[in-house]
Amino acid sequence: MYFAALLARTEDGWEASDTELDDVETLSDLADLAREAAAEDDTVLVLIEQEDAWFGVVRIDGEEDPRIYVSDAAAAARSSYGEILLTDELLGREPDDDPDLDALDLDGTEDGEDEDEDDDTPAVEAGVSGEIVPHGPVGDAQVLDDLGVSEKQLKSLSEDAVNEIAESLGASEVLETVR
């Protein structure tokens, strides 16, 4: 089950609105949707969560580029909503990189290599579109630092992350109204 909400910062605090992502196909579409909810150039947060799997935070400050954090890229890659957030830039790829899935060693071993050998290479997984993404968090883990949610706190969130973020921001009551 998915939940997505916009939290727009105003002079009076945070305003929440439920958002439907069915018509959102790209990060630009999502940023435009968020900017429409903003009063002037105030901060807008898009909070997306797939129950017990992953969550994402997109921060829009006026006309600046969106700042993105995704708790588990591999889990998000299996979701059409998650794939909106997993841009080439976020994953450190060139926009036209086309991974050769046959050449990749997805089980972590090479021919003739011992499977038990330690390797510092991060685990990767193929997403819905066949693109390879790492397990674990990606993006700007400091996206909410100035709003009272530290990088350490953000990385430690798992279940009920959207509610915990809203609570830290002082926006849990307004978020509840759209849940």
Side-chain angles (χ1 to χ4, degrees):
M1 184 166 125
Y2 291 95
F3 174 71
L6 294 173
L7 285 178
R9 193 176 199 180
T10 67
E11 289 180 6
D12 300 326
W14 292 95
E15 290 182 6
S17 58
D18 190 9
T19 187
E20 188 61 47
L21 298 179
D22 290 341
D23 295 330
V24 174
E25 294 180 10
T26 66
L27 182 59
S28 290
D29 294 343
L30 186 61
D32 291 343
L33 181 68
R35 287 184 182 109
E36 289 173 12
E40 300 187 23
D41 286 340
D42 288 333
T43 299
V44 178
L45 302 175
V46 180
L47 304 174
I48 302 172
E49 149 182 273
Q50 181 181 2
E51 194 171 295
D52 298 331
W54 66 275
F55 71 92
V57 177
V58 179
R59 179 177 178 160
I60 311 292
D61 291 304
E63 293 300 317
E64 292 181 26
D65 288 340
R67 294 171 58 194
I68 306 165
Y69 175 80
V70 176
S71 66
D72 186 337
R78 294 187 297 266
S79 154
S80 59
Y81 297 133
E83 285 198 328
I84 293 168
L85 307 181
L86 297 175
T87 63
D88 289 330
E89 182 181 341
L90 189 71
L91 296 173
R93 294 191 297 243
E94 292 297 319
D96 294 323
D97 277 357
D98 193 13
D100 179 3
L101 295 179
D102 294 330
L104 293 174
D105 176 29
L106 297 178
D107 71 354
T109 62
E110 296 291 328
D111 287 339
E113 199 177 287
D114 185 5
E115 289 186 28
D116 294 330
E117 189 174 313
D118 285 339
D119 189 1
D120 291 335
T121 307
V124 295
E125 184 168 315
V128 171
S129 65
E131 295 176 338
I132 304 304
V133 295
H135 285 278
V138 295
D140 184 354
Q142 297 175 342
V143 66
L144 301 173
D145 269 359
D146 65 323
L147 299 174
V149 181
S150 71
E151 176 178 353
K152 183 178 178 182
Q153 285 176 292
L154 193 61
K155 287 183 174 181
S156 70
L157 297 175
S158 56
E159 294 179 29
D160 209 24
V162 167
N163 284 333
E164 289 184 42
I165 290 169
E167 187 173 316
S168 294
L169 298 173
S172 57
E173 287 182 22
V174 295
L175 183 66
E176 261 323 294
T177 64
V178 297
R179 246 209 208 265

